[in-house]
Amino acid sequence: MNENAPALPIEEPKEEKRSLNFVEQIVEQNLAEELNEGRVQTRFPPEPNGYLHIGHAKAICIDFGIAQRYGGVCNLRFDDTNPIKEDVEYVDSIKEDIHWLGFEYGNIYYASDYFEQLYAFAERLIMEGHAYVDEQSAEEIAKQKGTPTEPGVASPYRDRPREESLDLFHRMNAGEFPEGAMTLRAKIDMASSNMHFRDPIIYRIIKHPHHRTGNTWNVYPMYDFAHGQSDYFEGVTHSICTLEFVPHRPLYDYFIDLLKPQDSDYRPRQYEFNRLNLTHTMMSKRKLLALVKEGLVAGWDDPRMPTICGYRRRGYTPQAIRNFVDSIGYTKYDGMIDVALLEHAVREDLNRISTRVSGVLDPIKLVITNYPEGQTEDFEAINNPEDPTAGSHVITFSRELWIERDDFMEEAPKKYFRLTPGGEVRLKNAYIVRCTGCKKDADGNILEVYAEYDPETRSGLPGSNRKVKGTIHWLSIAHSMDAEVRLYDHLFLDEDPSSVEGKELAELLNPESLKVLSHAKVETFLHDAAVGAHYQFQRIGYFVVDKDTAKEGRLILNRTTSLKDTWGKIATKK
């Protein structure tokens, strides 16, 4: 099996068919005003503490897409400010996911690139009276924060001498104090209506080796302190993030105002868009990590996971994900998107690129009793009717065939248009056959189905115009091969699993989210199928060759999605 499946081209959305989202409107207005000298610079700042999920894909599309559309630059900057949770594995996976989605980044940055500058800025804040070292525990600080309607209580260390705070801060970094013993807090306003202004922690002690800086540092900046300053150091103009950071924006601006020279016209500005919430999907990286660590899924790239690598393994295409993101757009209000809309985008793209083949998932033997033994015929099967350049391949017909078990019923209801004694169906691309009966074992289980073919109804002959109500797919037993097929469904039963309380993570999972069919049959045409190659199984769904095929030396296919599309019922829940 060839592991090197060909890369699929990424098609940019046709601009004339879509209106500008509110971020694009802001960018165009800024360009018209020649703000920041007409520069557009964005950034994508993931934490390297897990694999990216579909929500990150939405952020990637706008961060890189805005820069791409307006001739700007998008920096990939890893927010590596918490070495306890970070790993090079996550760094590498994030790079791969961005590239797979079809975006290119130039220089790669890290928050750790600016540790010296951030530390120096913290020293300056201390000496200017804007920060102090607090010796209270995190629990004590939290209790003193107050509530949205009641002011907080000042720390007893809030007015300690600046020189003393500076000395303690240096000693914190020298490793003299244990984790949790001290923090550096910004000195702002304990009565502010914005809770983030109530003397936020900007540095804490962490005694854990950093994946880039080793043991150089014992203090690390908090996200709210590192993020805006990193934007400033890099020259970012549009810092685009999700709506939960709206209350953080005043703090972002506050630190920028203290950092930048007063006579400078440049400053980064933060803009917020709605995060992606999908039905039957968990977006918490912490809970996704728990799924992996507790062995509830088979790793970050389990095809049931909403991670980009999980979707890739399941057979989703980068074009489908980008089309989906473009279709849902960017707004300033949160909502819930039906996962069926994502599946619809996947079907539309796979319909365009997938080779049509026959696969039988639950096989039962069909014997054409009046077809000569030992005789075979070759029929032409079109590879993709959506692509006139895709060509065709040969599928061989013979006396003994595989059909789907549920394509035969001995006692069928009125509107059952498949095989039943006395009934006729067309075998796709071949002949019309009439069922004559079946063979059972002692327990009444059906072992074989029997039928007779009408030789005048071969596809392409005049008699082939005779109409029957049903068409089923088939495989010649002698010209088929074994395959393992993995059928996937939603990982979570509840439409909004993040909102469910009082249950363990394992209790939320769909027990039918994975079914493994070990004895499926497919065309021998798939013998050299490449890992990652896409196929549409006639009447069944879209499938992709799984990476385990190369490892195990046998064909393993994941069902990407079924053929049924419920897009007409899709609604955005606000």
Side-chain angles (χ1 to χ4, degrees):
M1 301 290 178
N2 179 10
E3 291 187 62
N4 300 313
L8 299 174
I10 299 294
E11 297 179 355
E12 292 302 318
K14 294 180 173 59
E15 299 294 342
E16 67 273 13
K17 292 186 178 180
R18 58 186 290 274
S19 58
L20 299 180
N21 62 53
F22 78 95
V23 179
E24 292 167 332
Q25 292 172 4
I26 290 170
V27 171
E28 293 205 353
Q29 181 179 343
N30 293 162
L31 288 172
E33 296 169 348
E34 296 187 352
L35 193 66
N36 297 313
E37 300 178 338
R39 287 189 309 109
V40 174
Q41 185 166 326
T42 61
R43 84 292 167 270
F44 177 61
E47 297 175 78
N49 61 1
Y51 283 66
L52 300 184
H53 55 59
I54 187 69
H56 296 110
K58 181 178 180 180
I60 289 169
C61 286
I62 195 166
D63 288 331
F64 284 91
I66 287 284
Q68 190 177 74
R69 179 171 183 179
Y70 294 102
V73 174
C74 180
N75 293 348
L76 170 59
R77 182 177 72 238
F78 291 98
D79 176 34
D80 55 344
T81 55
N82 187 355
I84 294 175
K85 297 181 179 180
E86 295 160 4
D87 197 285
V88 175
E89 173 191 352
Y90 301 136
V91 171
D92 292 340
S93 72
I94 290 168
K95 293 178 188 176
E96 181 181 4
D97 288 345
I98 294 171
H99 180 73
W100 179 77
L101 281 170
F103 296 104
E104 299 298 331
Y105 44 83
N107 295 325
I108 298 175
Y109 299 88
Y110 296 82
S112 54
D113 293 337
Y114 311 114
F115 280 175
E116 291 281 0
Q117 291 161 278
L118 291 167
Y119 188 79
F121 181 43
E123 292 177 312
R124 198 182 101 197
L125 291 180
I126 293 171
M127 294 310 296
E128 291 177 357
H130 298 300
Y132 63 95
V133 171
D134 196 332
E135 297 181 43
Q136 297 181 106
S137 67
E139 292 75 15
E140 291 171 320
I141 292 173
K143 289 178 182 178
Q144 293 173 351
K145 281 278 189 177
T147 70
T149 57
E150 297 179 357
V153 177
S155 165
Y157 302 98
R158 194 172 197 265
D159 295 320
R160 75 189 324 161
R162 301 175 186 183
E163 292 77 7
E164 183 181 340
S165 279
L166 184 63
D167 177 64
L168 288 171
F169 185 51
H170 290 163
R171 292 166 63 192
M172 286 165 61
N173 192 44
E176 291 187 27
F177 307 112
E179 292 185 6
M182 295 181 184
T183 58
L184 181 66
R185 296 176 68 181
K187 188 176 183 179
I188 309 179
D189 182 2
M190 291 300 293
S192 174
S193 59
N194 186 331
M195 299 289 287
H196 297 287
F197 266 51
R198 297 185 183 181
D199 291 11
I201 296 171
I202 58 177
Y203 266 91
R204 76 284 206 203
I205 300 171
I206 298 179
K207 295 188 173 183
H208 189 90
H210 189 280
H211 70 99
R212 295 186 74 235
T213 62
N215 294 309
T216 301
W217 301 92
N218 288 300
V219 292
Y220 288 89
M222 300 294 288
Y223 176 86
D224 276 342
F225 185 69
H227 182 68
Q229 281 58 262
S230 298
D231 283 348
Y232 180 84
F233 296 145
E234 289 178 12
V236 169
T237 58
H238 299 80
S239 184
I240 308 167
C241 55
T242 45
L243 287 174
E244 63 263 34
F245 290 98
V246 169
H248 298 248
R249 192 198 319 145
L251 187 61
Y252 179 101
D253 291 335
Y254 171 83
F255 285 130
I256 293 293
D257 286 337
L258 291 177
L259 175 66
K260 79 179 191 70
Q262 296 303 305
D263 59 353
S264 171
D265 291 331
Y266 161 68
R267 66 173 305 123
R269 287 174 171 80
Q270 178 177 303
Y271 304 96
E272 306 88 12
F273 65 90
N274 61 323
R275 63 179 293 169
L276 176 57
N277 298 303
L278 277 179
T279 56
H280 301 286
T281 307
M282 187 78 73
M283 293 293 195
S284 164
K285 262 202 297 186
R286 178 179 59 82
K287 291 184 178 179
L288 294 179
L289 176 61
L291 287 172
V292 175
K293 287 192 170 181
E294 293 173 23
L296 298 173
V297 293
W300 286 100
D301 69 344
D302 187 307
R304 295 168 293 177
M305 290 278 275
T307 52
I308 295 175
C309 61
Y311 283 133
R312 179 163 63 243
R313 186 173 178 185
R314 186 162 173 172
Y316 284 27
T317 63
Q319 186 64 58
I321 291 176
R322 290 178 62 167
N323 289 347
F324 164 69
V325 169
D326 193 56
S327 71
I328 62 175
Y330 297 84
T331 68
K332 292 186 179 182
Y333 55 86
D334 277 324
M336 182 70 77
I337 303 295
D338 196 318
V339 71
L341 186 58
L342 172 59
E343 293 167 350
H344 170 64
V346 172
R347 286 189 189 93
E348 280 203 323
D349 195 52
L350 291 180
N351 185 60
R352 179 179 62 87
I353 65 171
S354 297
T355 300
R356 275 55 167 175
V357 296
S358 289
V360 179
L361 304 190
D362 186 13
I364 188 171
K365 182 189 288 188
L366 171 66
V367 181
I368 312 298
T369 56
N370 64 333
Y371 194 85
E373 291 191 38
Q375 178 173 310
T376 62
E377 293 178 79
D378 288 339
F379 292 93
E380 181 182 25
I382 302 299
N383 286 339
N384 188 338
E386 304 296 319
D387 180 3
T389 68
S392 62
H393 67 278
V394 169
I395 182 169
T396 301
F397 186 83
S398 64
R399 175 185 171 90
E400 296 186 345
L401 309 175
W402 293 123
I403 61 170
E404 293 288 352
R405 187 172 296 274
D406 62 7
D407 278 341
F408 171 78
M409 288 185 70
E410 192 172 15
E411 297 180 7
K414 186 175 181 180
K415 293 188 177 181
Y416 182 83
F417 299 127
R418 287 168 278 175
L419 276 177
T420 190
E424 288 187 318
V425 299
R426 174 170 289 282
L427 300 179
K428 188 171 178 62
N429 295 320
Y431 295 101
I432 291 175
V433 298
R434 182 178 61 84
C435 182
T436 58
C438 63
K439 176 183 176 182
K440 304 179 190 177
D441 64 15
D443 296 322
N445 298 310
I446 297 169
L447 301 177
E448 295 180 356
V449 180
Y450 302 113
E452 294 179 346
Y453 85 116
D454 180 350
E456 300 299 321
T457 59
R458 175 185 167 117
S459 294
L461 295 178
S464 66
N465 293 326
R466 183 157 73 83
K467 303 296 183 184
V468 290
K469 290 186 176 180
T471 299
I472 65 173
H473 62 282
W474 52 273
L475 288 169
S476 167
I477 290 178
H479 303 85
S480 64
M481 58 183 285
D482 294 330
E484 178 181 301
V485 171
R486 299 168 181 175
L487 306 179
Y488 295 98
D489 199 352
H490 302 141
L491 182 58
F492 291 96
L493 288 169
D494 198 88
E495 188 175 80
D496 185 8
S498 299
S499 67
V500 178
E501 298 179 356
K503 286 187 177 181
E504 296 294 326
L505 200 54
E507 297 178 89
L508 301 175
L509 300 184
N510 175 11
E512 303 295 318
S513 64
L514 170 61
K515 293 181 180 178
V516 178
L517 306 180
S518 302
H519 304 291
K521 307 293 182 181
V522 297
E523 296 180 35
T524 53
F525 176 66
L526 273 68
H527 183 270
D528 295 319
V531 171
H534 299 273
Y535 297 94
Q536 184 198 99
F537 282 14
Q538 313 272 9
R539 303 172 61 227
I540 298 176
Y542 293 98
F543 292 78
V544 67
V545 181
D546 187 74
K547 68 176 186 179
D548 285 348
T549 293
K551 180 175 68 176
E552 299 189 20
R554 58 194 178 93
L555 183 61
I556 300 173
L557 296 134
N558 299 327
R559 184 174 67 183
T560 305
T561 184
S562 64
L563 289 178
K564 185 179 180 182
D565 194 339
T566 57
W567 62 271
K569 301 177 182 178
I570 293 169
T572 302
K573 303 174 181 65
K574 300 177 182 178

Short mmCIF file of all heavy atoms in Angstrom, two decimals, residues 9 13 26 39 50 63 65 113 134 169 174 178 203 236 319 333 335 389 428 440 450 463 494 509 520 571:
data_model
loop_
_atom_site.label_atom_id
_atom_site.label_comp_id
_atom_site.label_asym_id
_atom_site.label_seq_id
_atom_site.Cartn_x
_atom_site.Cartn_y
_atom_site.Cartn_z
N PRO A 9 -5.53 19.93 -3.89
CA PRO A 9 -5.41 21.38 -4.06
C PRO A 9 -6.42 22.11 -3.18
O PRO A 9 -7.52 21.64 -2.94
CB PRO A 9 -5.72 21.59 -5.54
CG PRO A 9 -6.58 20.42 -5.90
CD PRO A 9 -6.08 19.27 -5.07
N PRO A 13 -12.08 30.52 -1.56
CA PRO A 13 -13.48 30.86 -1.78
C PRO A 13 -13.60 31.95 -2.84
O PRO A 13 -12.75 32.83 -2.93
CB PRO A 13 -13.93 31.37 -0.40
CG PRO A 13 -12.95 30.79 0.56
CD PRO A 13 -11.65 30.69 -0.18
N ILE A 26 -13.28 46.12 9.10
CA ILE A 26 -12.37 46.92 9.92
C ILE A 26 -11.03 47.08 9.23
O ILE A 26 -10.45 48.18 9.18
CB ILE A 26 -12.20 46.26 11.31
CG1 ILE A 26 -13.48 46.39 12.13
CG2 ILE A 26 -11.02 46.89 12.07
CD1 ILE A 26 -13.49 45.56 13.40
N ARG A 39 -0.05 48.88 6.98
CA ARG A 39 0.36 47.48 7.18
C ARG A 39 -0.80 46.64 7.71
O ARG A 39 -1.64 47.12 8.46
CB ARG A 39 1.50 47.39 8.19
CG ARG A 39 2.84 47.86 7.71
CD ARG A 39 3.95 47.51 8.71
NE ARG A 39 3.65 47.93 10.08
CZ ARG A 39 3.35 47.08 11.07
NH1 ARG A 39 3.32 45.76 10.86
NH2 ARG A 39 3.10 47.55 12.29
N GLY A 50 -1.50 20.86 23.53
CA GLY A 50 -2.47 19.91 23.01
C GLY A 50 -2.55 20.05 21.50
O GLY A 50 -1.89 20.91 20.91
N ASP A 63 -7.04 34.36 10.79
CA ASP A 63 -5.73 34.97 11.03
C ASP A 63 -4.86 34.94 9.77
O ASP A 63 -4.32 35.97 9.35
CB ASP A 63 -5.01 34.22 12.17
CG ASP A 63 -5.63 34.50 13.53
OD1 ASP A 63 -6.18 35.59 13.71
OD2 ASP A 63 -5.56 33.61 14.40
N GLY A 65 -6.02 34.03 6.73
CA GLY A 65 -6.80 34.49 5.60
C GLY A 65 -6.80 36.00 5.44
O GLY A 65 -6.70 36.52 4.32
N ASP A 113 10.61 33.85 23.06
CA ASP A 113 11.56 34.74 22.40
C ASP A 113 11.65 36.08 23.11
O ASP A 113 12.65 36.80 23.00
CB ASP A 113 11.14 35.01 20.94
CG ASP A 113 11.24 33.77 20.06
OD1 ASP A 113 12.00 32.85 20.42
OD2 ASP A 113 10.54 33.73 19.03
N ASP A 134 3.45 39.92 45.74
CA ASP A 134 2.46 39.52 46.73
C ASP A 134 2.86 38.15 47.27
O ASP A 134 3.21 37.25 46.50
CB ASP A 134 1.07 39.46 46.09
CG ASP A 134 -0.04 39.43 47.13
OD1 ASP A 134 0.19 38.94 48.25
OD2 ASP A 134 -1.15 39.89 46.79
N PHE A 169 11.37 39.98 43.39
CA PHE A 169 11.11 39.48 42.03
C PHE A 169 12.38 38.82 41.47
O PHE A 169 12.32 37.74 40.86
CB PHE A 169 10.66 40.63 41.14
CG PHE A 169 10.24 40.21 39.75
CD1 PHE A 169 9.34 39.17 39.54
CD2 PHE A 169 10.77 40.85 38.64
CE1 PHE A 169 8.96 38.80 38.26
CE2 PHE A 169 10.40 40.48 37.35
CZ PHE A 169 9.48 39.45 37.16
N ALA A 174 15.54 33.71 40.72
CA ALA A 174 16.77 32.99 41.08
C ALA A 174 16.46 31.62 41.67
O ALA A 174 17.39 30.82 41.90
CB ALA A 174 17.60 33.82 42.04
N PRO A 178 9.68 28.62 46.78
CA PRO A 178 8.93 27.51 46.15
C PRO A 178 7.76 28.02 45.31
O PRO A 178 7.33 29.16 45.45
CB PRO A 178 8.44 26.69 47.34
CG PRO A 178 8.32 27.68 48.46
CD PRO A 178 9.45 28.66 48.25
N TYR A 203 3.09 37.49 36.86
CA TYR A 203 4.17 36.50 36.89
C TYR A 203 3.93 35.53 38.03
O TYR A 203 3.46 35.92 39.10
CB TYR A 203 5.55 37.16 37.09
CG TYR A 203 6.29 37.46 35.81
CD1 TYR A 203 6.13 38.70 35.19
CD2 TYR A 203 7.13 36.53 35.23
CE1 TYR A 203 6.82 39.00 34.02
CE2 TYR A 203 7.81 36.82 34.06
CZ TYR A 203 7.66 38.05 33.46
OH TYR A 203 8.34 38.33 32.29
N VAL A 236 2.42 43.44 15.30
CA VAL A 236 1.07 43.01 14.93
C VAL A 236 0.15 44.22 14.89
O VAL A 236 0.21 45.10 15.76
CB VAL A 236 0.55 41.96 15.93
CG1 VAL A 236 -0.93 41.69 15.74
CG2 VAL A 236 1.36 40.67 15.80
N GLN A 319 -10.11 21.49 2.12
CA GLN A 319 -11.04 22.34 1.37
C GLN A 319 -12.41 22.33 2.02
O GLN A 319 -13.08 23.36 2.13
CB GLN A 319 -11.14 21.88 -0.07
CG GLN A 319 -11.98 22.80 -0.95
CD GLN A 319 -11.38 24.17 -1.08
OE1 GLN A 319 -10.24 24.30 -1.53
NE2 GLN A 319 -12.11 25.19 -0.67
N TYR A 333 -21.53 37.42 18.11
CA TYR A 333 -22.38 36.73 19.08
C TYR A 333 -22.15 35.23 18.95
O TYR A 333 -21.92 34.70 17.87
CB TYR A 333 -23.86 37.06 18.87
CG TYR A 333 -24.37 36.78 17.48
CD1 TYR A 333 -24.84 35.52 17.11
CD2 TYR A 333 -24.38 37.79 16.51
CE1 TYR A 333 -25.30 35.26 15.83
CE2 TYR A 333 -24.84 37.54 15.22
CZ TYR A 333 -25.30 36.28 14.89
OH TYR A 333 -25.75 36.03 13.62
N GLY A 335 -23.06 31.17 19.23
CA GLY A 335 -24.19 30.32 18.87
C GLY A 335 -23.74 28.88 18.78
O GLY A 335 -22.57 28.58 19.00
N THR A 389 -12.47 14.09 -16.32
CA THR A 389 -11.09 13.65 -16.54
C THR A 389 -10.72 12.44 -15.67
O THR A 389 -9.60 11.94 -15.77
CB THR A 389 -10.10 14.78 -16.24
OG1 THR A 389 -10.11 15.10 -14.84
CG2 THR A 389 -10.46 16.04 -17.03
N LYS A 428 -26.18 -2.94 -10.44
CA LYS A 428 -25.63 -1.71 -11.02
C LYS A 428 -24.54 -2.00 -12.04
O LYS A 428 -23.65 -2.82 -11.80
CB LYS A 428 -25.08 -0.81 -9.90
CG LYS A 428 -24.67 0.57 -10.40
CD LYS A 428 -24.33 1.49 -9.24
CE LYS A 428 -23.87 2.83 -9.75
NZ LYS A 428 -24.90 3.54 -10.53
N LYS A 440 -31.01 -21.65 3.69
CA LYS A 440 -30.88 -21.34 5.10
C LYS A 440 -30.18 -22.47 5.84
O LYS A 440 -30.14 -23.61 5.37
CB LYS A 440 -32.26 -21.13 5.73
CG LYS A 440 -33.12 -20.08 5.08
CD LYS A 440 -34.46 -20.02 5.81
CE LYS A 440 -35.45 -19.16 5.07
NZ LYS A 440 -36.77 -19.15 5.74
N TYR A 450 -30.55 -16.79 -4.24
CA TYR A 450 -30.51 -17.26 -5.63
C TYR A 450 -31.32 -16.33 -6.52
O TYR A 450 -32.35 -15.77 -6.12
CB TYR A 450 -31.05 -18.69 -5.73
CG TYR A 450 -30.28 -19.66 -4.86
CD1 TYR A 450 -30.88 -20.26 -3.77
CD2 TYR A 450 -28.96 -19.96 -5.14
CE1 TYR A 450 -30.18 -21.14 -2.96
CE2 TYR A 450 -28.24 -20.84 -4.33
CZ TYR A 450 -28.85 -21.44 -3.25
OH TYR A 450 -28.16 -22.29 -2.45
N GLY A 463 -32.14 -3.81 -24.57
CA GLY A 463 -32.98 -4.30 -23.48
C GLY A 463 -32.68 -3.68 -22.13
O GLY A 463 -33.43 -3.87 -21.18
N ASP A 494 -24.97 13.68 23.95
CA ASP A 494 -25.69 14.93 24.19
C ASP A 494 -25.36 15.95 23.11
O ASP A 494 -24.23 16.03 22.64
CB ASP A 494 -25.34 15.49 25.57
CG ASP A 494 -26.36 16.51 26.05
OD1 ASP A 494 -27.35 16.09 26.67
OD2 ASP A 494 -26.18 17.71 25.77
N LEU A 509 -20.15 9.56 26.62
CA LEU A 509 -19.77 9.03 25.32
C LEU A 509 -20.85 8.16 24.69
O LEU A 509 -21.59 7.47 25.38
CB LEU A 509 -18.47 8.23 25.44
CG LEU A 509 -17.25 8.98 25.97
CD1 LEU A 509 -16.03 8.08 25.95
CD2 LEU A 509 -17.00 10.25 25.16
N ALA A 520 -15.63 -7.07 5.59
CA ALA A 520 -16.17 -6.36 4.43
C ALA A 520 -15.43 -6.79 3.17
O ALA A 520 -14.31 -7.32 3.23
CB ALA A 520 -16.05 -4.85 4.64
N ALA A 571 -30.02 24.18 11.18
CA ALA A 571 -30.35 25.51 11.72
C ALA A 571 -29.26 25.91 12.69
O ALA A 571 -28.71 25.09 13.40
CB ALA A 571 -31.69 25.47 12.44
#
